[in-house]
Amino acid sequence: MITGDLKSKVDKLWTTFWNNGISNPLSVIEQISYLLFIKRLDDLELAKEKAAQQLGRKIKDPTFGPEQQQIRWSHFKNLDNAEEQLKIVRDGAFPFIKELGGAGNSEQEDAAAKDREAGSDDVKGAKKTSEPAKAGKLTGKAAEGNAYAKHMRDAVFLIASPALLATVIEQIENIPMEGRDTKGDLYEYMLSKLSTAGTNGQFRTPRHIIDLMVKLMAPKPRDVVCDPACGTGGFLVSVAEYLREQTDADGKMLLNAPGNRQHFNEEMFHGFDFDATMLRIGSMNLMLHGIEQPMIEARDSLSEDHAGVNERFTMILANPPFKGSVQKSTIAKDLTKVIKTTKTELLFLALFLRLLKTGGKGAVIVPDGVLFGSSKAHKGIREILVEQHKLDGVISMPSGVFKPYAGVSTAILMFTKVGVKAEGTDFVWFYDMDSDGLSLDDKRQPVEENDIPDILQRWKEKAPERDTDRKGKAFFVPREEIAENGYDLSINRYKEIEYEEVVYDPPKVILKKLRELEDEIRGDLDELEGMLK
């Protein structure tokens, strides 16, 4: 986590933008991201130059050609002329990264080492060209197919003040960002500011809830993961960090196995969103976490945009927006064939099942109304989950999880897409979460009570024949009982509440005690009156 001095420096940087008229938090993150990329490109180039010098060789696949040395961070950061500095960044460095196609986002040390081990001559993320002046750029189909390049086409550099740019460059230069973890934590901290930014908070799911869902799903190195409403890419980032910690029986990193690293960098991570700013921020977030080519696509997931991507993914992780209803005419026809509704929360569930391959798994957040809604559409989608697929679990979360910007009660649904009904639901695992380690008010301060470790442990050890106590926090319910209850998935429908009998005194005894209290009060009043004479 980002703490102490580093946090203070980021706060100061953020305040600098606000004080100079750039107050939209999304715009602030974008502008900082552009400069971080420019700096990162130069850091990688300096590392390559140093290695080449030590080996007595020429630098291979330079990012910057001879005509582009002036747009390097190490050059313009030291300029005394702020006007010249702004001109170089605005007219040179920024257009360069817009056309670059993400060449500077790779983790040079990791990727180069893996490539050498695999006997490859190419360095991941380095872009070849026969023209030194265009080093680092992508052209033709390569540029057109690169998600980062697409999203950067409409990017705008908003820093117009030379003094502001000079101050920001100086502050960024003083923020240590040597490791991937530090860059990732820094970016996560900036994104956390969206949660206090009014309506922009809708884009952020609490990190500890994301991590819980990822650990419950336990992604494998060859999974193909998608978030159809990816926003800033939090779920995909969490999957990446989870996989970096996984080892085999011999203690070797799973990502180092043949082919896994390339799959991780080029094929694993997919995200959809229709907001241009979110597409850029999500792409940059994943890149700063060391994912070389995240496939973040501009798609309206519930429209015909998703046609052609059905049954492509092995895992879905999402907290889609629940904005109520959408225009019936805009909804994809293959979704309306599954369920006739205009409610986004129900349409997204149908979409998730469409996107998953057979055997694929999903963990998604839904509002409580999905669990017990009485409409034909509500019952229909629940019946599909239970009868046609395998509903693995339902975790009921307290209403304060998404405070301070939303107080709605939510749940996590975990399911598996199956090919035949015989492989579907037998039992559904329920868990009643009371606390997530933070207070459930607007302040969301750390507290001792935290059900998350217990959820992970019980999920790992769950067994239908053993977990039958419905007075506890976790238990199984058979499919037949759920069907009898109209496929109601609210935990209160099945949990048994143990009431403690309260014994009261007989009425005459209670009256006697009241008269005695009344006599005491009267005596005290008489004493007080006597003191006033």
Side-chain angles (χ1 to χ4, degrees), residues 187 191 194 203-204 230-234 237 273 278 281-283 285-286:
Y187 212 76
L191 293 178
L194 294 181
F203 297 117
R204 181 168 171 79
C230 64
T232 60
V237 165
D273 209 297
M278 284 295 102
I281 289 179
S283 295
N285 188 18
L286 289 165

Side-chain angles (χ1 to χ4, degrees), residues 427 463-472 474-477 496:
F427 293 87
E465 64 276 4
R466 185 187 64 240
D467 301 336
T468 58
D469 182 10
R470 298 196 184 182
K471 296 176 183 177
F475 53 85
F476 278 93
V477 177
E496 296 177 5

Side-chain angles (χ1 to χ4, degrees), residues 188 201 204-213 235 319 365 400-403 405 436 438 444:
E188 283 297 315
R204 181 168 171 79
T205 305
R207 181 61 186 264
H208 62 292
I209 300 298
I210 290 176
D211 291 343
L212 165 64
M213 294 166 66
F235 282 101
N319 176 22
I365 295 173
V401 165
F402 288 94
K403 284 188 175 183
Y405 49 90
D436 64 341
L438 300 172
R444 295 291 277 158

Side-chain angles (χ1 to χ4, degrees), residues 27 31 38 42 62 66-67 131-132 160 163 182 243 255 273 308 324 358 390 422 433 436 454-455 486 495 506 518 523:
S27 298
Q31 302 309 304
I38 293 168
D42 190 53
E67 299 176 8
E131 301 178 42
T182 304
L243 286 171
L255 283 183
D273 209 297
T358 298
K390 184 181 180 184
M433 179 198 287
D436 64 341
D454 185 57
I455 291 172
K495 186 170 184 178
E518 197 174 64

Side-chain angles (χ1 to χ4, degrees), residues 514-525:
L514 287 173
R515 290 184 184 282
E516 290 174 353
L517 286 172
E518 197 174 64
D519 290 341
E520 289 182 16
I521 293 171
R522 188 178 291 110
D524 290 340
L525 289 173

Side-chain angles (χ1 to χ4, degrees), residues 475-495:
F475 53 85
F476 278 93
V477 177
R479 176 187 58 79
E480 294 80 7
E481 184 177 349
I482 293 174
E484 290 171 1
N485 282 286
Y487 299 97
D488 192 321
L489 299 177
S490 56
I491 195 168
N492 292 334
R493 170 71 69 174
Y494 307 103
K495 186 170 184 178

Side-chain angles (χ1 to χ4, degrees), residues 94-106:
F94 181 65
F96 180 79
I97 68 167
K98 286 184 67 171
E99 299 175 15
L100 185 66
N105 63 284
S106 64

Side-chain angles (χ1 to χ4, degrees), residues 274-288:
F274 55 80
D275 183 278
T277 302
M278 284 295 102
L279 290 166
R280 285 193 289 272
I281 289 179
S283 295
M284 288 185 281
N285 188 18
L286 289 165
M287 290 174 180
L288 284 173

